[in-house]
Amino acid sequence: ETGVTQTPRHLVMGMTNKKSLKCEQHLGHNAMYWYKQSAKKPLELMFVYSLEERVENNSVPSRFSPECPNSSHLFLHLHTLQPEDSALYLCASSQDAGTGPDLGPLHFGNGTRLTVT
Amino acid sequence: GDSVTQMEGPVTLSEEAFLTINCTYTATGYPSLFWYVQYPGEGLQLLLKATKADDKGSNKGFEATYRKETTSFHLEKGSVQVSDSAVYFCALNDYGGSQGNLIFGKGTKLSVKP
């Protein structure tokens, strides 16, 4: 049983749709993350939230909009996506998003498999 | 910038075979190094880590030693099982950059046949 829960597990959407991915962590962590996992590419960090404040945005297109209403919940709002946005979207959490030498570990959810048609 | 390079997969082994998955890194500072594992249909889980040179991380029969002189963190297991079939990711903690961003390799898929 993972401490990080993502819904839905699978999502198919058209390019004109608006949908949201949800992530919830039950670990009491202060930092939450969105990663994109595409075939044959390294995991890409999209967003980092620390204590509900966004602290990292790795030049992600504006068609992806994160929301962190509290330290346990994280959303990724999607609109007017492109077929190349099809991927596995992983949520993760950690105790802190600090800059010390001992970051980890990250605790990942099982991901949402997104297909954009 | 910092980066991680893993051996290309997939790797196919018979049960009880010896496993090595190579990982080398490039970093300006002294990062912490990690191996994560992703079982089918699941997210990534931390397998082991090492935070300084010559440290050895170990878990579930897997080991990796932080080699600063060769900038490597190769994953090894003496006798693999079918249940070890998964994708393995090497990563480093780029804490010298922004907010402790983990940098991942592309992953190596391991298939273990009975």
Side-chain angles (χ1 to χ4, degrees):
Chain A
E1 179 70 31
T2 177
V4 179
T5 305
Q6 289 187 244
T7 54
R9 289 299 306 271
H10 301 273
L11 177 63
V12 179
M13 60 185 289
M15 289 189 285
T16 58
N17 292 158
K18 291 184 180 181
K19 297 286 184 183
S20 296
L21 310 184
K22 179 182 177 182
C23 176
E24 182 174 1
Q25 59 99 358
H26 312 277
L27 302 168
H29 287 167
N30 294 321
M32 296 186 77
Y33 309 77
W34 280 116
Y35 281 88
K36 177 182 179 182
Q37 186 177 24
S38 305
K40 307 295 185 184
K41 294 175 69 175
L43 263 71
E44 301 172 57
L45 179 65
M46 300 175 72
F47 300 103
V48 180
Y49 276 83
S50 178
L51 296 172
E52 302 146 49
E53 180 180 334
R54 181 160 53 176
V55 296
E56 183 84 25
N57 175 358
N58 286 345
S59 302
V60 178
S62 60
R63 56 186 183 270
F64 296 91
S65 175
E67 178 189 2
C68 188
N70 55 62
S71 60
S72 299
H73 293 87
L74 185 65
F75 296 89
L76 187 63
H77 303 300
L78 316 171
H79 65 97
T80 58
L81 294 191
Q82 304 298 312
E84 60 264 29
D85 296 322
S86 298
L88 182 68
Y89 288 84
L90 291 166
C91 174
S93 70
S94 65
Q95 187 60 54
D96 296 291
T99 57
D102 192 12
L103 166 71
L106 292 176
H107 293 256
F108 284 84
N110 289 339
T112 294
R113 174 68 63 186
L114 173 67
T115 303
V116 181
T117 60
Chain B
D2 294 2
S3 65
V4 174
T5 302
Q6 290 181 237
M7 62 187 288
E8 293 280 332
V11 174
T12 303
L13 296 173
S14 298
E15 208 164 21
E16 299 184 3
F18 184 86
L19 169 72
T20 300
I21 299 178
N22 290 338
C23 172
T24 56
Y25 67 90
T26 302
T28 54
Y30 300 95
S32 294
L33 301 173
F34 304 82
W35 277 101
Y36 279 78
V37 58
Q38 184 177 30
Y39 298 103
E42 299 183 11
L44 281 70
Q45 304 173 27
L46 179 65
L47 180 60
L48 54 84
K49 69 177 183 179
T51 58
K52 61 183 187 294
D54 299 325
D55 269 3
K56 177 185 285 188
S58 61
N59 185 26
K60 299 181 181 180
F62 290 89
E63 294 183 339
T65 301
Y66 189 141
R67 301 286 188 199
K68 183 170 176 287
E69 63 276 13
T70 54
T71 61
S72 64
F73 192 55
H74 304 322
L75 182 68
E76 296 181 337
K77 186 174 185 181
S79 176
V80 294
Q81 306 300 312
V82 173
S83 57
D84 294 326
S85 298
V87 182
Y88 293 82
F89 293 88
C90 186
L92 67 82
N93 176 356
D94 183 23
Y95 70 88
S98 57
Q99 298 298 323
N101 182 8
L102 271 183
I103 295 173
F104 288 88
K106 292 184 178 181
T108 302
K109 184 176 182 179
L110 170 66
S111 296
V112 181
K113 307 299 184 186

